[in-house]
Amino acid sequence: MYSELLRILTVILFCVVLFSGSGIAYANAEKSEMQMYVDNLHPGWNLGNTFDAKGSETSWGNPKTTKEMIDFIASQGFKSIRIPVTWGHRMGRAPEYTIEPQFLERVASVVDWALENDLYVMLNMHHDTDWIFHMERRYDTVLAQFEAAWVQIADYFKDYPLEVMFESLNEPRFDQDWGRDTPRYFEMLDDLNTSFYGIVRGSGGNNDVRPLVFSTLTASVSQKRMNELAKTMSKFNDHRLIATVHYYGYHSFSVNVAGETRFGQAAKVDLTASLDRAYNTFVSKGIPVIIGEFGLLGFDKHLGTIQQGEKLKFFEYMTYYAQERDLALMLWDNGQHYQRRLNKWSDEALYSTIMVPKGQRSSYTEDNFIFLKKGAPIKDKPFKLELNGNDLVKITHGEYELQKGTEYDILYGRLVIKSEFLEKLNRDEFGEVATVTCHFSAGVPWDISVYSYDTPVFEEIETTRNRFRIPVEFKGDLLATMEALYVKGGNAGPNNWTSYKQFGADFDPQYERGYIEILPEFFGEVKDQEPIRLKFHFWSGEVVEYTITKDGVKVTGMP
């Protein structure tokens, strides 16, 4: 009797572990085959600005892709790779539109390296949108070339394993205005996707069951565009289909314009609502979703467009919420993140943040900086603390561990770095004088940089609009944003719906070179002989005003 009771208890315990516990086994039992396939893709990485370049593989600045690069990506924990490919300029004349055989072989070699590393592969048609764009007035020609391309791609890769998926078309669009929704555009995209589906499914080999990926118009997360894609996908009555969208954040924050320098409430609401729409439209109805590209648009200028701490908050929340909604993420990387020549990451903290697994979050403080002004008394520095379910374990400065109670404390949900610690720092020079690192029970450590600074000093200058560089002694401070207003009233420069201009597009600080450049694009949209007051807002809280006047090609400026 005892042994029988033990057997029953063992069975009960097994069932409890299997169907409750972490919930993972039960959740997987509820998921479709394709959803589990997409779960396995996260996190993914894009081989951007390579085969999608409109010239050669290296014409957009990246080195030739090697097996070592793909090995590295796999070794870093990525599970999938998206290989954007532009086919049009590698195709011959009508009616055959033959793809260059050596190019197909070259793409296949990278696919092979990825598969050897157990990576899933998404192969697509990328900047071919530039000729598909003309479909409204060249319908038959565009459709014929599109079909010819997929006939050849599908045939070449038909015997490849199902870890290789095909994406019909990247960010499909049919005019310069990315915001237009017209019945004709949705009809043409439906025609392309229907043709793609029929070609691949009828091409033999593994293609009859290969996972196929379909993008919304412009890869947008708007409800209308997702609804239209859902209509197309539902008519195929095929459970081996995947939807894809792209997400680059709330626009004003993503490019740093209109004073949206922080990953604040508006940016968080936009992210949450966008991913919720993708979940509700597709995932909740059994169609998995890949966010085939994600990042920040400001990265097109440089990685410093968005302040480091705010950038990491965006990537932390994006990674967390996408996984909560069962959306696989693929980082857009055109060479800005993984430095392919040096075989290292440009920003290790960003890389580490997007690799945090489901069920974990990273913690952070309200700011990731402390500015100490020369000659001013040093006070305690409080930070709002976002633990996200974790505990603060310790704070270090190099090998030294700060002492709780005397050098830092946690009071009413705030981390306080105390003046007793800050006063010990050597502040003889301007700039970053220390980094303290917060270590938490889970997630990525959080660095807080301490700067010694004084009010920046600007100098007069007279030069041309094509090379207008204001000499600045930054004195350890860092620029957050710039306002531009006519002295007589009204906003000046591009995006004149706001006084705050776009970082990296209208102005660009060069700290090591000692100037702030006001870019030619800014002067292209300002009045002649109308003085403009620039207000430079620094992260320390300092605001410095400067007046400029454009007269033809000549520009003068003075503090």
Side-chain angles (χ1 to χ4, degrees):
M1 184 173 179
Y2 176 78
S3 60
E4 178 65 14
L5 179 62
L6 183 61
R7 186 188 68 80
I8 293 171
L9 288 173
T10 302
V11 171
I12 292 172
L13 180 61
F14 175 79
C15 292
V16 168
V17 171
L18 180 62
F19 294 111
S20 59
S22 67
I24 293 173
Y26 180 77
N28 282 344
E30 295 291 306
K31 288 184 178 181
S32 69
E33 179 186 1
M34 272 295 91
Q35 183 60 59
M36 289 189 285
Y37 180 98
V38 167
D39 288 348
N40 290 335
L41 304 179
H42 180 89
W45 179 82
N46 275 267
L47 182 66
N49 283 23
T50 304
F51 295 124
D52 50 323
K54 295 175 186 176
S56 69
E57 178 181 346
T58 60
S59 62
W60 282 0
N62 282 312
K64 189 173 181 178
T65 304
T66 64
K67 185 178 185 302
E68 288 69 29
M69 293 177 190
I70 306 304
D71 292 347
F72 178 83
I73 289 300
S75 74
Q76 295 296 285
F78 289 97
K79 304 301 182 185
S80 61
I81 178 171
R82 182 171 180 254
I83 305 179
V85 185
T86 301
W87 303 91
H89 65 290
R90 280 113 172 183
M91 300 175 74
R93 296 175 181 270
E96 292 82 7
Y97 294 110
T98 304
I99 299 173
E100 297 169 1
Q102 63 272 28
F103 180 70
L104 261 172
E105 292 169 7
R106 172 63 181 150
V107 172
S109 68
V110 178
V111 175
D112 292 339
W113 296 334
L115 293 173
E116 288 170 13
N117 278 286
D118 296 322
L119 293 171
Y120 290 76
V121 179
M122 186 192 298
L123 196 61
N124 82 349
M125 182 176 278
H126 206 78
H127 290 302
D128 297 281
T129 44
D130 287 358
W131 51 268
I132 291 171
F133 175 91
H134 301 290
M135 189 171 182
E136 192 165 21
R137 61 185 177 83
R138 298 176 56 207
Y139 181 91
D140 291 339
T141 302
V142 167
L143 184 59
Q145 186 171 356
F146 176 83
E147 290 179 339
W150 275 114
V151 164
Q152 294 171 80
I153 299 165
D155 182 67
Y156 193 95
F157 290 98
K158 66 184 179 183
D159 294 322
Y160 271 66
L162 299 183
E163 284 76 15
V164 177
M165 69 205 92
F166 298 154
E167 179 187 12
S168 171
L169 185 61
N170 171 73
E171 296 184 350
R173 63 190 180 98
F174 303 102
D175 68 7
Q176 296 285 2
D177 185 356
W178 287 52
R180 290 181 63 195
D181 290 336
T182 72
R184 182 58 177 152
Y185 291 172
F186 291 128
E187 181 183 298
M188 288 189 293
L189 182 54
D190 179 80
D191 289 347
L192 290 170
N193 283 332
T194 300
S195 177
F196 162 78
Y197 178 83
I199 287 167
V200 177
R201 284 290 181 255
S203 57
N206 289 327
N207 287 344
D208 59 344
V209 290
R210 187 175 306 285
L212 302 182
V213 183
F214 297 86
S215 171
T216 60
L217 189 68
T218 70
S220 167
V221 288
S222 78
Q223 191 62 61
K224 175 69 173 175
R225 297 183 184 188
M226 288 192 288
N227 286 346
E228 291 294 330
L229 178 62
K231 289 179 189 176
T232 294
M233 296 178 73
S234 65
K235 74 179 183 179
F236 298 140
N237 193 27
D238 186 332
H239 70 279
R240 300 188 66 79
L241 307 181
I242 301 166
T244 187
V245 293
H246 296 169
Y247 188 74
Y248 284 97
Y250 177 59
H251 184 266
S252 295
F253 168 73
S254 187
V255 301
N256 194 347
V257 72
E260 295 280 357
T261 57
R262 293 181 177 273
F263 181 60
Q265 190 62 22
K268 183 176 285 190
V269 166
D270 185 86
L271 188 159
T272 303
S274 297
L275 272 55
D276 283 349
R277 288 195 299 274
Y279 176 86
N280 292 328
T281 307
F282 296 111
V283 179
S284 69
K285 296 177 174 62
I287 301 173
V289 173
I290 301 168
I291 300 180
E293 295 179 16
F294 84 106
L296 291 168
L297 294 173
F299 287 166
D300 287 345
K301 302 299 179 183
H302 52 71
L303 294 181
T305 299
I306 314 298
Q307 195 272 340
Q308 177 70 3
E310 303 306 315
K311 175 201 311 179
L312 294 178
K313 291 177 192 177
F314 166 82
F315 281 97
E316 191 281 330
Y317 192 76
M318 179 77 185
T319 302
Y320 152 71
Y321 202 72
Q323 291 183 92
E324 285 294 297
R325 284 311 208 176
D326 288 327
L327 309 173
L329 291 174
M330 305 187 88
L331 177 69
W332 177 252
D333 190 352
N334 60 19
Q336 70 228 128
H337 298 303
Y338 166 44
Q339 298 182 34
R340 302 176 199 178
R341 288 183 175 85
L342 301 176
N343 214 41
K344 70 175 188 177
W345 296 103
S346 300
D347 187 336
E348 289 283 352
L350 189 155
Y351 157 72
S352 298
T353 297
I354 67 172
M355 302 307 288
V356 172
K358 187 172 184 177
Q360 290 187 24
R361 292 195 64 180
S362 295
S363 306
Y364 49 84
T365 54
E366 181 179 7
D367 295 322
N368 71 327
F369 51 76
I370 299 172
F371 282 91
L372 304 175
K373 190 169 186 176
K374 284 284 189 181
I378 295 178
K379 301 178 181 180
D380 292 353
K381 173 61 180 176
F383 296 95
K384 183 180 178 182
L385 188 58
E386 296 287 351
L387 288 170
N388 296 326
N390 300 324
D391 296 319
L392 178 63
V393 176
K394 62 180 179 179
I395 300 178
T396 58
H397 173 220
E399 298 296 321
Y400 175 74
E401 183 173 338
L402 276 67
Q403 300 301 303
K404 186 176 181 181
T406 57
E407 296 177 317
Y408 81 94
D409 216 335
I410 298 178
L411 301 170
Y412 308 108
R414 290 179 175 267
L415 169 66
V416 180
I417 305 296
K418 297 204 165 189
S419 59
E420 285 86 341
F421 170 75
L422 298 174
E423 285 172 347
K424 297 176 184 177
L425 301 177
N426 184 346
R427 298 172 53 218
D428 291 340
E429 296 183 2
F430 291 125
E432 186 174 354
V433 296
T435 299
V436 295
T437 302
C438 301
H439 303 264
F440 300 95
S441 54
V444 180
W446 178 259
D447 288 339
I448 300 173
S449 297
V450 183
Y451 296 90
S452 175
Y453 88 100
D454 207 342
T455 305
V457 175
F458 287 58
E459 298 178 13
E460 295 183 19
I461 190 171
E462 180 177 313
T463 184
T464 67
R465 54 180 282 181
N466 291 324
R467 196 177 174 83
F468 190 74
R469 297 172 175 175
I470 304 169
V472 180
E473 289 182 62
F474 288 101
K475 296 192 172 184
D477 215 338
L478 299 172
L479 187 61
T481 188
M482 179 191 83
E483 286 187 272
L485 305 101
Y486 290 109
V487 172
K488 292 182 179 180
N491 299 329
N495 297 307
N496 61 13
W497 51 273
T498 175
S499 63
Y500 290 90
K501 302 296 100 176
Q502 184 174 333
F503 199 111
D506 299 322
F507 66 98
D508 185 14
Q510 296 287 327
Y511 298 105
E512 293 183 2
R513 297 176 180 178
Y515 63 77
I516 298 174
E517 183 168 12
I518 310 300
L519 296 163
E521 290 79 1
F522 173 84
F523 290 111
E525 297 190 40
V526 300
K527 304 171 186 175
D528 271 7
Q529 300 178 343
E530 286 277 354
I532 298 169
R533 181 165 293 117
L534 304 179
K535 293 183 179 180
F536 293 95
H537 296 259
F538 289 84
W539 283 106
S540 68
E542 299 277 349
V543 180
V544 177
E545 296 190 0
Y546 193 84
T547 303
I548 62 172
T549 305
K550 177 172 77 79
D551 186 359
V553 298
K554 185 179 74 172
V555 184
T556 58
M558 63 181 62

